[in-house]
Amino acid sequence: KAGVTQTPRYLIKTRGQQVTLSCSPISGHRSVSWYQQTPGQGLQFLFEYFSETQRNKGNFPGRFSGRQFSNSRSEMNVSTLELGDSALYLCASSLVPAANEKLFFGSGTQLSVL
Amino acid sequence: KNQVEQSPQSLIILEGKNCTLQCNYTVSPFSNLRWYKQDTGRGPVSLTIMTFSENTKSNGRYTATLDADTKQSSLHITASQLSDSASYICVVSEGYSSASKIIFGSGTRLSIRP
């Protein structure tokens, strides 16, 4: 069974640009959540999707958005990039969006904003 | 405020030695506590998941303990190997609702020296 796939693996952008990251969950998993990881802040929750609906959103500005498609694949978009957006962006999938569900993480997309 | 604190921040030990990592939390209501291993530039991988009623859980050379009364957990690594070099993250779930209610510790960076 294939794991969680995130693309691209690495990305370099400049300030002001926008970026779209993709996440394909494990087959059969319908919940996808996104996280930002930086050396200073650690892992922080961005948002969670289930059945194409955003269920929860973390404390990030509106420049961060996402969506989920009918096949459970998810994308997140960051507009007007800032230097502080440089981070490892991780997505995780689970069968359903429950706190006691096991999360399976992808390898992440390393975003560098210059 | 719900928090998860880990200690030490970093640790260096010799190959073959044992070590113990600590996690203290102030999350309520408590759902479960997980330990993840994260290699540099990769996504976290689940090691153990413990609910309120579980005191100990093992996964090979990894043994996690949980004291729900004192809100403390530890991860003990036996006979360390070079491949154990990674960050270990303690994650506590609040309630039973969704992935948005998980609180991440800042991690312990473990380095194994030959």
Side-chain angles (χ1 to χ4, degrees):
Chain A
K1 197 180 222 184
V4 178
T5 304
Q6 290 189 246
T7 57
R9 186 74 179 90
Y10 301 96
L11 206 48
I12 299 175
K13 292 286 188 179
T14 57
R15 280 182 300 174
Q17 287 186 310
Q18 75 167 24
V19 66
T20 299
L21 313 180
S22 178
C23 173
S24 293
I26 291 173
S27 177
H29 285 193
R30 296 164 58 197
S31 177
V32 173
S33 50
W34 288 89
Y35 306 85
Q36 182 195 66
Q37 187 175 34
T38 60
Q41 298 295 321
L43 272 158
Q44 297 184 88
F45 169 76
L46 279 159
F47 26 64
E48 176 190 36
Y49 287 88
F50 177 69
S51 295
E52 302 178 65
T53 302
Q54 186 182 86
R55 284 175 48 89
N56 287 293
K57 191 176 191 301
N59 296 323
F60 280 82
R63 299 185 297 106
F64 292 81
S65 62
R67 58 178 175 169
Q68 186 180 35
F69 302 95
S70 59
N71 61 358
S72 295
R73 190 177 71 85
S74 177
E75 289 181 346
M76 69 163 281
N77 184 78
V78 187
S79 62
T80 319
L81 283 167
E82 301 177 359
L83 296 178
D85 296 333
S86 294
L88 179 67
Y89 290 88
L90 293 160
C91 83
S93 76
S94 61
L95 285 169
V96 292
N100 56 353
E101 278 289 316
K102 187 174 182 179
L103 294 177
F104 294 84
F105 285 86
S107 294
T109 293
Q110 184 68 54
L111 172 64
S112 298
V113 182
L114 307 178
Chain B
K1 181 181 177 183
N2 288 328
Q3 287 186 313
V4 177
E5 297 188 355
Q6 293 186 242
S7 62
Q9 191 172 20
S10 61
L11 183 62
I12 301 174
I13 64 172
L14 292 175
E15 185 180 12
K17 297 296 185 181
N18 304 334
C19 67
T20 300
L21 313 181
Q22 300 291 340
C23 174
N24 297 337
Y25 62 93
T26 57
V27 177
S28 181
F30 173 85
S31 175
N32 61 69
L33 184 146
R34 319 175 198 208
W35 284 93
Y36 283 89
K37 177 187 178 187
Q38 185 177 22
D39 293 314
T40 302
R42 312 293 292 184
V45 174
S46 179
L47 294 175
T48 62
I49 302 176
M50 288 184 292
T51 59
F52 184 87
S53 59
E54 296 175 295
N55 300 120
T56 303
K57 186 158 282 188
S58 293
N59 179 356
R61 294 180 297 102
Y62 301 100
T63 299
T65 64
L66 174 64
D67 186 333
D69 292 330
T70 62
K71 298 188 177 181
Q72 296 179 325
S73 176
S74 65
L75 179 68
H76 186 74
I77 304 175
T78 305
S80 61
Q81 300 176 359
L82 296 178
S83 59
D84 293 331
S85 293
S87 287
Y88 291 83
I89 304 171
C90 176
V91 183
V92 180
S93 296
E94 175 197 1
Y96 295 90
S97 57
S98 71
S100 69
K101 298 298 185 182
I102 60 175
I103 297 101
F104 294 91
S106 55
T108 292
R109 178 68 199 172
L110 176 64
S111 297
I112 310 297
R113 296 284 185 255

